[in-house]
Amino acid sequence: QVQLAESGGGLVQPGGSLKLTCVLSGGVLSFFTVTWHRQAPGKQREFVASITSSGDVNCADFAKGRFTISRDNAKNTVYLQMNSLKSDDTAVYYCDARRMTTDIWGHGTQVTVSS
């Protein structure tokens, strides 16, 4: 069974950093475009960043200069490095892997930015 799992969330102080991990099991992640999304309490889910199978990257404006998406195909993993975190970054972060008609979602990882 193909599954996607996020990890790396937690509680961090404003200005701190976290590195989120998105791992695919039962498939080959290098074939997929992987996107990070987030959903804060009471808000709609929003796009954070994406990386295609060829390595092309796209980031939301709020993420530019602070967040970096990358992939390690040998580990079937996509990362989201988040620096200079703000309280507004508090949300559940999800990754999804998409290829043609296949779209796989993880269950999310909670990121809380608070002093």
Side-chain angles (χ1 to χ4, degrees):
Q1 185 177 1
V2 180
Q3 292 183 321
L4 205 60
E6 306 93 336
S7 62
L11 174 64
V12 64
Q13 292 186 341
S17 299
L18 282 175
K19 187 173 186 177
L20 306 184
T21 298
C22 174
V23 180
L24 183 72
S25 59
V28 180
L29 193 60
S30 62
F31 296 153
F32 292 80
T33 290
V34 178
T35 303
W36 283 98
H37 312 261
R38 71 183 187 182
Q39 187 165 18
K43 295 186 178 180
Q44 290 189 329
R45 188 170 61 204
E46 63 180 346
F47 168 81
V48 178
S50 63
I51 186 165
T52 69
S53 57
S54 57
D56 294 327
V57 171
N58 189 26
C59 286
D61 286 343
F62 66 79
K64 290 178 181 176
R66 299 192 300 129
F67 296 2
T68 302
I69 189 170
S70 62
R71 66 192 309 157
D72 184 339
N73 291 331
K75 294 182 178 180
N76 244 17
T77 300
V78 167
Y79 303 100
L80 184 68
Q81 176 69 49
M82 305 188 296
N83 300 325
S84 302
L85 285 162
K86 308 173 183 178
S87 58
D88 288 348
D89 296 318
T90 295
V92 178
Y93 285 71
Y94 301 88
C95 63
D96 89 278
R98 182 173 300 183
R99 177 176 183 258
M100 299 177 72
T101 59
T102 299
D103 192 9
I104 307 161
W105 285 79
H107 294 293
T109 185
Q110 175 70 47
V111 171
T112 302
V113 184
S114 175
S115 56

